[in-house]
Amino acid sequence: MARVVVIGGGLGGLAAAARLAKLGHAVTLLERSSRLGGVVRTAEHDDRAVGRFRWDAGPAAVTLPATLRDLFRKSGRPLERVLELAPLPTPRRHVFPDGTALDLPVGSRSGQRRAVEAALGSTAGAAWEAVVDDLAPTWESLRTRVLEVPFSGVRSLGPHGVRALAPGRSLRAFARRRLTDVRTRKLLEYPVLATGSDPADAPSFTAVRAYVERTFGIWTCAGGFGALVDALGQRLDERAVTVRLDAEAVAIRGDGAVTGVELRGGERLAADVVVSGVDVRTVARGILARPPWAMRRSVRTLRDASPSPLVHVGLADAADDLLHETVFHGDDDRESPTVVVRAPDDPSLAPAGYRAVSVIVHRNGGTGITADPLDVLARRGWDIRDRVVARVDGEATSYGPAWRGAVRGLGVARNHTAVRGLFMVGATAHPGPGVPEVLLGAAAVATEIGRA
Ligand SMILES: Cc1cc2nc3c(=O)[nH]c(=O)nc-3n(C[C@H](O)[C@H](O)[C@H](O)COP(=O)(O)OP(=O)(O)OC[C@H]3O[C@@H](n4cnc5c(N)ncnc54)[C@H](O)[C@@H]3O)c2cc1C
């Protein structure tokens, strides 16, 4: 049995701690703040007259639900017993600059084709289906060579993988080459744009998200993603993980191999294994005295994605047919931003007759955004300002590391480090930001550490 200290109580740290405890290790999790979850947060507003509103201020929908199911199964009871993960059959309405609207279903190949054909015409529908079909081998390569294995850079890909992933081409170039209808290009680019990266800086294989969404669907947590953090906290409790809140790690001790962790205040915990779930820059620039070369290189190259301004509002008289997301795509020529209205269909989030809605503005290209998101939305033809009964201004937080060009990738740290016993998980470690990604990184680290 190893003495494991996990630093950070975000999803990466929580998932690693749950898995390692189930593998029989003695696990202590340190969280600097007074709550678990990290960027998985809930914004709240209690209005005396109207009632209580809650909004997901971090993740609000995920794909690859198998990553969550695997985490819960491999750490104790299955997910279905502790959390209601709900599929969103048609998660998004896309509204294009020319006024066309498309409600795009997921989880159904024929359903997608029919919807794209009906809204954008048969040529666009056939082209969209062909592009998404052709991404199946890309997904297979990513899954088997990048996501589900310990990854050590391009060498892990092998010549076949490099050919399949074509990392030298950008998502924008790929979209332009494969799709003539500018609106279907926007469908392909949106998932990258929504994470604060520029599609011109993302490699073409990020288009695989369209295949992943169509195949595995998009899911949300009933009651908001706070329920996921609660379920993981409960799981750590069941697995006898020692969870310490308000406990900031200030040093990882050991030279060449970890021996322990020092907390603010001077307390020292002995450890055979340390799993860091905090930003690699915090580790390399602060808590690890002599960071290895590969870690220093990540720190030099890593850039945060552009934060997206957002506001959470409680809305009266919200239209019943609002989907989980309505995306008002920007007009590239006029550098107008893409505005997203998120309106989960979950009665537990708002008083009866009201809807908890978030409005998020993603910049297109290089334009900065300073205007109020509700004003930006009004300029796109949907003015909700006089129906707002509650308002919480969200923090514009970066989603995580940004794509830095088709070849250079995300610049995240490897899970395995050159310091014996030190592993990295979370958004700034392989395979990068996003709930499924962070869970896959934690799974890879637990596999590598192995049974007690
Ligand atoms: C606004 C936003 C929206 C998102 N939306 C989605 C979405 O819809 N779908 C999706 O799949 N993904 C989404 N993501 C991405 C996903 O939520 C994140 O990639 C993931 O939750 C990051 O988890 P983490 O464990 O890496 O980090 P964090 O959540 O950042 O957790 C790190 C934790 O470490 C703690 N910590 C830091 N330093 C120390 C220290 N020295 N000692 C002890 N503790 C420390 C922090 O307090 C924090 O709790 C979103 C992210 C953001 C920011």
Side-chain angles (χ1 to χ4, degrees):
M1 178 199 288
R3 293 162 302 175
V4 179
V5 173
V6 176
I7 307 175
L11 286 184
L14 289 168
R19 284 179 178 272
L20 289 167
K22 174 70 177 167
L23 288 170
H25 300 290
V27 183
T28 301
L29 180 136
L30 306 175
E31 166 53 46
R32 174 177 64 180
S33 74
S34 53
R35 53 168 283 279
L36 296 174
V39 300
V40 185
R41 287 184 298 114
T42 309
E44 287 195 23
H45 179 90
D46 212 342
D47 183 283
R48 265 202 218 145
V50 181
R52 190 162 77 113
F53 290 92
R54 288 185 300 131
W55 304 266
D56 273 322
V62 294
T63 185
L64 293 179
T67 55
L68 279 164
R69 292 203 187 98
D70 189 64
L71 167 62
F72 279 90
R73 200 176 50 243
K74 299 255 175 72
S75 63
R77 280 176 302 147
L79 175 102
E80 290 69 24
R81 303 249 188 99
V82 290
L83 188 71
E84 195 189 327
L85 202 58
L88 295 166
T90 305
R92 283 187 205 117
R93 172 167 301 148
H94 295 270
V95 182
F96 299 101
D98 67 359
T100 329
L102 161 64
D103 291 359
L104 188 67
V106 293
S108 159
R109 181 171 179 267
S110 57
Q112 269 209 354
R113 179 177 178 142
R114 276 199 302 276
V116 180
E117 273 183 359
L120 311 182
S122 55
T123 311
W128 175 254
E129 187 174 78
V131 166
V132 181
D133 285 350
D134 289 351
L135 288 163
T138 306
W139 168 244
E140 223 24 52
S141 287
L142 275 172
R143 191 178 69 72
T144 54
R145 292 167 190 270
V146 179
L147 296 172
E148 293 181 354
V149 289
F151 185 68
S152 48
V154 174
R155 262 177 299 128
S156 304
L157 296 177
H160 176 76
V162 169
R163 260 196 312 281
L165 298 183
R169 198 186 314 135
S170 76
L171 173 61
R172 170 130 315 149
F174 176 76
R176 288 195 174 154
R177 196 168 63 84
R178 292 294 310 268
L179 294 161
T180 48
D181 190 314
V182 72
R183 297 166 298 184
T184 47
R185 290 179 189 162
K186 286 183 184 295
L187 295 183
L188 205 62
E189 291 185 355
Y190 172 69
V192 161
L193 188 77
T195 62
S197 279
D198 187 333
D201 287 337
S204 57
F205 62 74
T206 54
V208 80
R209 175 72 187 230
Y211 176 81
V212 167
E213 290 186 353
R214 192 184 74 179
T215 310
F216 306 107
I218 297 184
W219 301 69
T220 192
C221 278
F225 274 73
L228 169 62
V229 174
D230 293 345
L232 283 171
Q234 176 74 31
R235 182 58 47 95
L236 296 196
D237 199 35
E238 287 157 11
R239 299 256 72 91
V241 172
T242 305
V243 175
R244 296 189 50 179
L245 300 176
D246 302 308
E248 182 180 358
V250 292
I252 296 170
R253 297 277 168 213
D255 200 9
V258 298
T259 55
V261 174
E262 185 175 326
L263 277 69
R264 185 168 297 285
E267 186 187 350
R268 289 183 181 198
L269 300 178
D272 311 301
V273 170
V274 174
V275 179
S276 166
V278 304
D279 194 309
V280 63
R281 290 164 289 194
T282 308
V283 178
R285 291 187 183 141
I287 62 182
L288 186 64
R290 267 190 277 176
W293 174 83
M295 196 185 281
R296 289 204 309 270
R297 193 186 53 175
S298 303
V299 166
R300 268 202 314 277
T301 54
L302 201 128
R303 302 277 175 276
D304 286 319
S306 311
S308 300
L310 81 160
V311 59
H312 307 294
V313 293
L315 209 59
D317 309 320
D320 288 338
D321 76 336
L322 268 181
L323 297 182
H324 185 80
E325 272 189 3
T326 303
V327 182
F328 294 88
H329 288 277
D331 187 339
D332 297 339
D333 296 336
R334 295 168 49 216
E335 289 207 333
S336 61
T338 293
V339 190
V340 178
V341 177
R342 194 162 71 206
D345 184 14
D346 184 337
S348 73
L349 302 178
Y354 296 87
R355 194 89 173 244
V357 168
S358 306
V359 181
I360 306 149
V361 182
H362 300 298
R363 63 178 203 159
N364 267 9
T367 46
I369 306 144
T370 47
D372 186 323
L374 298 188
D375 296 339
V376 180
L377 180 63
R379 284 202 290 276
R380 304 304 296 278
W382 198 33
D383 195 348
I384 57 172
R385 290 173 294 193
D386 60 354
R387 285 188 285 141
V388 170
V389 296
R391 173 174 175 139
V392 175
D393 285 295
E395 253 176 69
T397 324
S398 168
Y399 185 93
W403 291 102
R404 300 161 312 127
V407 177
R408 286 184 301 160
L410 283 169
V412 291
R414 293 184 189 165
N415 301 123
H416 180 109
T417 75
V419 178
R420 191 145 49 86
L422 176 62
F423 297 86
M424 309 293 293
V425 296
T428 59
H430 178 75
V435 173
E437 288 84 349
V438 163
L439 299 185
L440 284 164
V445 163
T447 305
E448 196 167 343
I449 295 168
R451 286 201 171 281

